[in-house]
Amino acid sequence: MVLDKLGDSLRDTLRNIASAIFVDEKLINELVKSIQKALLQADVNVNLVFELTKKIKDRALKEEPPSGLTKKEYLIKIVYEELVRFLGEKEKKIDLSGKPSTLMLVGLFGSGKTTQAAKLAKFYKKRGMRIALLCTDTWRPAAYEQLKQLGEQIDVPVFGNPKEKNPLKIYRDNEKELKKFDLVIIDTAGRDALSKELIEELDLLHKTIKPNEVFLVISADLGQAAERQAQKFHETCHITGVIITKLEGTAKGGGALSACAVTGANVTFIGVGEKIDDLEKFNPQGFVGRLLGMGDLEALLEKAQEAITTEEAEDLSKRLLKGEFNLIDLYEQMEAMRKMGPLNKIMEMVPGFSQIQLPKEMLQVQEGKLKKWRHVMNSMTKAELEDPEIISVQRIERIARGAGSSVNDVRELLKQYRQGKKLIKMFKGGSEKNMQKLMQQFGRGKLPPGFKM
Ligand code: GDP
Ligand code: MG
């Protein structure tokens, strides 16, 4: 895996939090220190490291965990969120509009432009696009042959002219032919350094081609030195994103990734090997998640998102007891149940309710059905949502038409609502305390041991 060492240290750090008894300032300081150490070893710039860990520390000391999360869980969430922000926060959306859409790769010698051009061609070909590769590298001998060979491996046509010395002319000579494709990936010439000559060449190409995207290809083994290079290209070459290559072969990748993020140049893809399939779309959330050991984290984040507050649970249970139960409540409950698992499992945890027999549909809520119901409900008036009893046959027809669904879908939702209401009546037999308990279980995701979400 990429950045093994950094991942190992970060996971160790999180494990220490998990096994700690208290979250106190001492633990937070230890956490911050070990994150600092891990990032510095991955060649992340010292100032960036301190900025990041200060943010983590400040938040950890100041913020209270939302209900549903323990202090420890919340601490892990903070680390995750700040690391994601550190690496650029969101996945960059790549502009593939236009016919053809054009994507130009720029960078210094040996950074991996030609190889990534072929990798990208395969990546987008797999996604159903018609791809052409164009070689405008008139600088390096045999540049065209290298791309041609790669193109043959993936069955993508390669355009260019090994005898022509003017990259603009190569583009113009092929422009008409290239219009037949969805995406044209352009491999350009590099230099030893970002010289004036290279800037001018790339600028001319940019003016003529007007590419949708210009990706700087940069090698991860530069570590934090990637910042200067990214900055310079960013200022002079219209780049819209960065591809960091050779990330699998260096411990300095953390430096390269964070250095690019700090210049405002989004990392779009990462190259993780010499083979054509060794390319990954870069997504800060997924990347950090994997570094930290995704499995646990996903569950944690989901839990945090779903947690309804204790107050909300109390409010809902009070309204239910008064019989104020409408379609919106039903929908919310269905959604909660879908996430929590079968209702009967939850009921078992609440004394007195385990004997109630529930209708089968109530126990298995499917995602598709919820979506349909969401449309149906969007097509209802506020009055109808709050008091479904007023929904007549004519109204059902109107709602179905508006929702683009069938009359049966609307009826099914109403049936579900009536069953829910009946259930509430049964609950009414139970005490208010039990009811509150039940609702809180819904919200908190507290499940019996061995029960998987
Ligand atoms: P260019 O001069 O920018 O066109 O670079 P090339 O595409 O010719 O690549 C230079 C060298 O880097 C080649 O030996 C490639 O196989 C290698 N390379 C490219 N991408 C990766 C990568 O993600 N990982 C590794 N380990 N090597 C890579
Ligand atoms: Mg090349």
Side-chain angles (χ1 to χ4, degrees):
M1 198 196 127
V2 171
L3 294 181
D4 291 339
K5 265 207 168 132
L6 178 61
D8 283 347
S9 334
L10 289 174
R11 282 191 298 276
D12 277 348
T13 306
L14 295 193
R15 230 170 278 136
N16 284 343
I17 303 181
S19 61
I21 300 167
F22 293 118
V23 173
D24 54 10
E25 194 162 348
K26 187 167 158 268
L27 179 76
I28 293 170
N29 282 333
E30 273 168 25
L31 165 78
V32 160
K33 254 197 215 126
S34 52
I35 292 177
Q36 282 171 348
K37 200 170 140 205
L39 291 173
L40 288 172
Q41 272 171 355
D43 200 40
V44 180
N45 175 286
V46 178
N47 295 329
L48 293 181
V49 171
F50 282 125
E51 245 172 67
L52 169 77
T53 48
K54 184 173 181 310
K55 250 188 231 155
I56 292 176
K57 189 174 171 180
D58 287 350
R59 283 190 61 190
L61 288 174
K62 223 171 38 214
E63 293 176 19
E64 280 297 314
S67 89
L69 283 193
T70 64
K71 270 196 163 175
K72 278 193 243 174
E73 287 170 332
Y74 192 53
L75 191 52
I76 294 170
K77 187 166 183 278
I78 291 175
V79 172
Y80 166 82
E81 284 172 354
E82 292 305 326
L83 280 172
V84 168
R85 198 169 315 180
F86 188 60
L87 291 184
E89 192 131 39
K90 285 207 182 84
E91 182 173 340
K92 176 183 152 51
K93 276 237 151 45
I94 293 168
D95 173 17
L96 295 174
S97 62
K99 181 142 187 22
S101 154
T102 45
L103 199 164
M104 198 163 109
L105 297 180
V106 305
L108 302 183
F109 278 149
S111 56
K113 292 176 297 300
T114 307
T115 318
Q116 310 316 305
K119 289 180 183 177
L120 283 168
K122 180 151 189 211
F123 181 90
Y124 284 114
K125 188 182 173 197
K126 266 200 244 160
R127 283 153 182 82
M129 296 181 89
R130 284 160 30 98
I131 317 286
L133 283 161
L134 176 69
C135 173
T136 65
D137 182 355
T138 56
W139 201 258
R140 178 177 263 181
Y144 175 78
E145 281 72 26
Q146 188 194 355
L147 191 63
K148 184 97 189 152
Q149 274 178 15
L150 290 166
E152 272 161 17
Q153 282 181 40
I154 52 175
D155 204 13
V156 165
V158 175
F159 295 82
N161 179 358
K163 294 196 186 81
E164 176 58 57
K165 283 289 159 214
N166 178 353
L168 274 186
K169 187 153 187 317
I170 295 179
Y171 175 71
R172 290 218 182 89
D173 289 346
N174 287 286
E175 200 175 355
K176 207 169 141 215
E177 200 55 28
L178 292 172
K179 287 220 163 79
K180 296 180 185 157
F181 295 87
D182 299 322
L183 174 64
V184 179
I185 299 169
I186 301 164
D187 181 23
T188 65
R191 300 289 190 278
D192 286 327
L194 184 54
S195 60
K196 200 162 156 252
E197 183 188 42
L198 178 59
I199 294 175
E200 275 166 15
E201 179 175 323
L202 294 176
D203 201 42
L204 271 177
L205 278 170
H206 188 268
K207 278 203 186 91
T208 311
I209 301 172
K210 299 189 187 68
N212 296 63
E213 301 278 1
V214 181
F215 291 165
L216 169 65
V217 180
I218 207 167
S219 168
D221 50 29
L222 282 177
Q224 55 176 297
E227 184 178 345
R228 259 196 61 198
Q229 208 180 101
Q231 190 71 46
K232 274 168 77 183
F233 269 91
H234 200 46
E235 282 159 8
T236 50
C237 297
H238 319 276
I239 65 169
T240 59
V242 178
I243 301 179
I244 297 189
T245 62
K246 309 178 196 180
L247 199 59
E248 86 290 356
T250 173
K252 292 182 170 183
L257 282 167
S258 54
C260 290
V262 87
T263 64
N266 296 293
V267 180
T268 54
F269 286 92
I270 51 179
V272 292
E274 294 194 45
K275 289 199 285 308
I276 290 192
D277 284 309
D278 296 333
L279 181 79
E280 292 176 15
K281 183 89 186 65
F282 182 71
N283 159 8
Q285 290 177 354
F287 189 79
V288 173
R290 246 170 39 190
L291 271 185
L292 300 183
M294 193 60 188
D296 310 332
L297 205 73
E298 217 164 18
L300 168 68
L301 295 175
E302 232 170 62
K303 202 167 130 186
Q305 241 168 26
E306 286 160 17
I308 54 174
T309 64
T310 316
E311 301 89 83
E312 273 172 338
E314 274 169 15
D315 182 54
L316 185 61
S317 61
K318 272 190 198 127
R319 277 170 46 219
L320 291 183
L321 278 173
K322 276 196 243 150
E324 288 172 14
F325 176 74
N326 62 31
L327 272 173
I328 301 165
D329 298 322
L330 173 75
Y331 186 86
E332 279 169 5
Q333 286 313 297
M334 294 279 162
E335 181 109 326
M337 272 180 240
R338 186 180 61 77
K339 286 175 184 160
M340 299 284 305
L343 179 62
N344 53 354
K345 288 275 178 201
I346 299 164
M347 302 265 293
E348 278 169 16
M349 298 182 297
V350 186
F353 285 129
S354 48
Q355 300 90 329
I356 298 178
Q357 285 296 308
L358 290 172
K360 222 168 72 213
E361 303 93 282
M362 192 103 202
L363 301 179
Q364 292 169 345
V365 185
Q366 289 141 18
E367 194 153 357
K369 223 175 234 180
L370 277 174
K371 222 181 193 168
K372 229 183 234 170
W373 288 349
R374 169 76 77 191
H375 287 307
V376 170
M377 287 167 65
N378 279 338
S379 170
M380 289 182 181
T381 63
K382 188 160 176 283
E384 287 163 350
L385 285 172
E386 282 169 359
D387 184 10
E389 299 305 332
I390 65 171
I391 300 177
S392 60
V393 177
Q394 286 93 329
R395 280 182 187 233
I396 288 180
E397 277 167 11
R398 191 213 75 230
I399 292 165
R401 259 199 315 278
S405 52
S406 71
V407 165
N408 274 341
D409 289 333
V410 185
R411 284 189 201 283
E412 202 188 354
L413 172 63
L414 290 173
K415 188 174 145 211
Q416 192 80 27
Y417 164 74
R418 286 191 196 107
Q419 278 177 347
K421 227 179 155 169
K422 236 188 253 163
L423 187 68
I424 302 297
K425 279 203 187 118
M426 285 192 258
F427 278 163
K428 271 185 154 179
S431 71
E432 180 157 0
K433 214 165 147 209
N434 277 345
M435 178 68 107
Q436 276 186 11
K437 218 166 170 179
L438 175 72
M439 288 303 138
Q440 277 168 17
Q441 304 283 13
F442 267 148
R444 281 203 189 136
K446 287 236 171 78
L447 299 168
F451 181 78
K452 273 190 80 132
M453 255 205 268

